[in-house]
Amino acid sequence: MEIRTIWFIATAVILAMLFGLVSSAFAQEPVEAAFVRGHFSEGSGIWRANDFGWFFYDLDKDQGGEELRIDLQGRTAEKEHIVYSSKTWSQRFEYEPWGSFRAVAFLGKPYFAGYPESNFTKEVSSLEKGALRKVLLDARDEYTLTYNKTLPLMDGYVLAVAEVSEKSNVVNFVLLKNGKPVHAAIVSMGGTYVYKIDEVPIILVHLVNAMSGEDSGFAEVDGIFQVSDNPIVTLFEGGRLGNMKLTSHSDDGIEFRNDMSLTLIKNSQVPLATGFVLRVTDSPDLIYYPEGGIYDYGVHEIRGPTFNGSRVIAGMYGKYPSPLAARWNSGNYTNFFMDPENKLGSENQFDSDDQFGSETLSLHNVNGRTVLPPTGPKVLNGTVILDGFQYTATMRSREYDFLPWGSYYVVPFLGDMWFAGYDRSMDGKQSSLNLFDHEKIGRVLIDSEVVQGNVAAGNYSLQEGYEVWIRDVEKDKIFVQLTKNGVLKDSSIVRSNSTYIYKKDLDDVKDMPIIKLHVNNIFSNGSIRFATIDGIFQISDQFLLPVEAGLGIGKLQIMSTSIPYVIIMANDEIVNLNSDSTISLGPNMNIRTADNDTLRYYLYSQKYVVPRPAPPKIALPANVISSTSANFSMVVKAAEIRQVTADVLDSSNRTVFSRDITRLAQGSGDLWGFAWRWNATTIQLGDDRSLVLDASGSPVPGLLYLSSSKPPLQVGVIFDSKGRIGAILDSASTYYVSRGEYKRLNISLDYDAMLANNTARMQFIKIEPGKSILQFLDVINGRLAPSGINHTLQGNLEFLEPQINVVGAKPGRYELRVRVENVVNAIQTFGEFFNVTPAEMRGVSLGIAQAFAGDDVSIPLLAPNSSGEKRINISYDAAKLKPTGISGECKASWQVDTKQGKIGVILPAGCGAANLTFAVNKKSQVNETIDLLVTGTSGFKPETVSNGTITIAASDNGAKKSPALGFLATLVALAMGVYARRRVW
């Protein structure tokens, strides 16, 4: 159901549906990275963990430690006047009898810093050694180990019981990493197993109980702690991170300072460290803020500043002071819309000092932990006292990206920018093109100033299925047609330096401009014609959001107000800020409270971060013998994987093998392993032995000429398990389907009945044997390219030529290319080379082929590539075959006895292959099989002998070769949704 039809539904239904619709509209899509901004500053400033959401902060314990302090002179921070510091804090173990360890945050992430002195270690500081380690396990869980059951830890570690003492309740523990013993220790019951690296305990396991039997024993543990054995971050005095230099690190904390003077230039970004910058707004006066990036896979909280039950913020209600318990806007909350280029006008600002957005969420008062719904204002000693949450969003003007158009009106609402209208009611004048006046807001799809937007006659794609077609370009005008999903909507003649506008009704708003297109210059000299489009604007005609009073969104309800062009929402019921709770006020607005007797809370939303795939680690053989299995494996760090393909390219950069290996994935989260193989073979066409792509059962790309007078169609060719053509199709049509492939479609009409029914036949059979031509497409260096070799489709619908044969890959250098695509990006590997070496032939082999009566057929002969001359004797049916020639890469020869049906093939030293060509008797019967038998050899003794056969197939008349019909100027990707299965020969 389209949201714009909601006006015709009963109000009760709207109230029930709206939150779901809005939640869907604001659903979190995966992003490659998330960014968190701190509060604005107009000069020197301080940002701490409890107010800058990128810094690490433990809400329950009010712990963080990170701080950014900037001291400016004008717009300049002199050397060492930007200070990033992080203080350590004491963190309790989950297994409380151990006491606590030292923790420290660094660039938004928590790390292990060290231990105080305790019964299992002396005081030791990992931070002081310059090593920041990650806490991998911190748990109070009971786990039982036996002689046959181990305790799995992180980073490849496993703790095992070697022996349990029968009398003294002592356990001999052995620690293994990646299956190899690295440490052993004897621990008494009630004691702690400790494994150290560089004097720092890396693994702690508390033994609570142990017992030994005659042939068995067990150890029960109830506390586990582990940190990374290798430092995640290594610090050293004078070390640099971007523009910051480490000035100190000790058991108390870390300090970095800028090691050069930095100037905050308007509309710029100043890097401090990796993923940590200062952003300077595009405003005349200095306004800047810190911003940190989140690049790790997972769902991350993007929070605003923390407030508590005792803090009071100055606020205003009209002309009267009105204290607030908390306030968030785009100046301190990342999830509210912000325009850093300051393109929003200042009109209609309502109780907000927000210069770059217009959203504000205020909490007026908290009674203990209870937030009451708002009532009328109460005046006490000249101060206005209010209750409840209040969210406001005001309409503001915004400049078009194409500045000559001026401005339009928008409403920053629930973290996004919405379209309001082109005008507004003012000075007694009623607006005619403002959705807000009709209690609706819409979506801006395109707002773009186009640079170098020269277009010739053709189409220009917009959003929501719209396309602009330039049908003709004359001296000072163009003819424009507008279509939506292929249906003509409008036609117009547009002159140079003018704007084309398409209007339509949006519910009860008449003639609303949906699309604006500015045409600057038009040039035509008879041979060269183009127009310059330099401005495009489009709003949605499918998505309108109602903002009428009384509609509820989460726990907030739109309130009736006499203030024009302002959306005001408030809680219409009691909201309790209970300890350790999450309250969803609405999209992008959640409140999290501390698990603590003291009331602390912050506003947050969530971002699902899915980084681009990391370069994979690939294992491949250095050498592969032709026609033998080559095993490949890969580990890749990537989440939300859509597709993984593995291609093998020969020395000419032609892809000879391609396989979709997505379904072979083994793993979870963002770490996956793949293992696959290639049989070191290639695919040849039976008629001329030209190579085609081995697509592992997927469609092979090609060009189909239904007849010599028709233009080519880009198609995919499906080969069956016997190497015969099973189907020729594209994303919209089927041009041929064999009996076997037709059966797979599970259609009630059988194949013979389909052929007899002209209507059904035209749906599945459009080719004409003997007339239709197929030209396969090669993949050269990742791009489709016509092979230039045409193959006339021969035979009949039961058996369509050409067929394919599997042959050993030619010796040479090959390259493996792997492409990994996830929901946000893709990566492809290059330079993974290996060699294919010749197969060692120890027998004699004659090939198998199919041929038409009266035609020639070629049979391959293979023998060991030895240093001496070899002779191979072959018999054949002289009444059905006539030897016509021998060929190959070496100077093979033969002696033929046509009366007896005997051949003696002579292969010189170093020669191991030849092609034997025969003419097939015209009177041969369809499906008849003619044998070629190896009757003897000399010069070598074969270990195996494989005889050959020729099968006669039915044939329609027609030439096998056709002149080239040219190349396609543009190639598009195949979309073969009908055949999603994968097969391997």
Side-chain angles (χ1 to χ4, degrees), residues 65 171 262 350 495 545 551 559 630 655 667 692 779 797 801 817:
V171 177
L262 298 174
F350 175 75
R495 298 190 176 276
L545 184 68
L551 292 181
M559 312 297 289
T655 300
V692 295
V779 183
L797 299 181
E801 284 276 5
R817 292 184 184 178

Side-chain angles (χ1 to χ4, degrees), residues 711-868:
L713 303 164
Q714 187 168 342
V715 296
V717 181
I718 303 286
F719 290 97
D720 64 21
S721 58
K722 297 181 179 179
R724 299 174 179 175
I725 295 177
I728 304 174
L729 68 166
D730 60 21
S731 58
S733 300
T734 299
Y735 302 96
Y736 167 75
V737 62
S738 68
R739 184 181 296 274
E741 291 298 309
Y742 183 83
K743 186 176 182 180
R744 294 174 182 270
L745 300 177
N746 292 321
I747 297 174
S748 58
L749 194 66
D750 66 30
Y751 194 71
D752 292 322
M754 178 272 290
L755 294 178
N757 184 308
N758 287 335
T759 301
R761 181 188 176 105
M762 284 306 299
Q763 184 179 354
F764 294 99
I765 307 293
K766 300 178 180 65
I767 58 102
E768 294 183 68
K771 294 182 179 180
S772 298
I773 296 170
L774 193 60
Q775 181 180 148
F776 288 95
L777 295 174
D778 294 329
V779 183
I780 307 296
N781 208 18
R783 297 173 179 268
L784 288 175
S787 64
I789 303 173
N790 293 322
H791 306 269
T792 300
L793 296 176
Q794 297 290 337
N796 55 33
L797 299 181
E798 292 286 344
F799 171 54
L800 201 62
E801 284 276 5
Q803 66 173 13
I804 58 173
N805 298 310
V806 178
V807 298
K810 286 187 176 182
R813 191 188 194 204
Y814 287 75
E815 181 184 8
L816 173 68
R817 292 184 184 178
V818 177
R819 184 179 185 275
V820 182
E821 178 185 352
N822 70 356
V823 294
V824 298
N825 216 320
I827 189 171
Q828 186 170 23
T829 65
F830 296 87
E832 299 285 349
F833 294 104
F834 62 96
N835 296 311
V836 171
T837 58
E840 183 180 357
M841 187 67 183
R842 298 187 179 185
V844 175
S845 173
L846 284 167
I848 298 172
Q850 292 175 320
F852 303 108
D855 279 348
D856 289 344
V857 61
S858 185
I859 298 295
L861 168 66
L862 298 176
N865 192 359
S866 59
S867 58

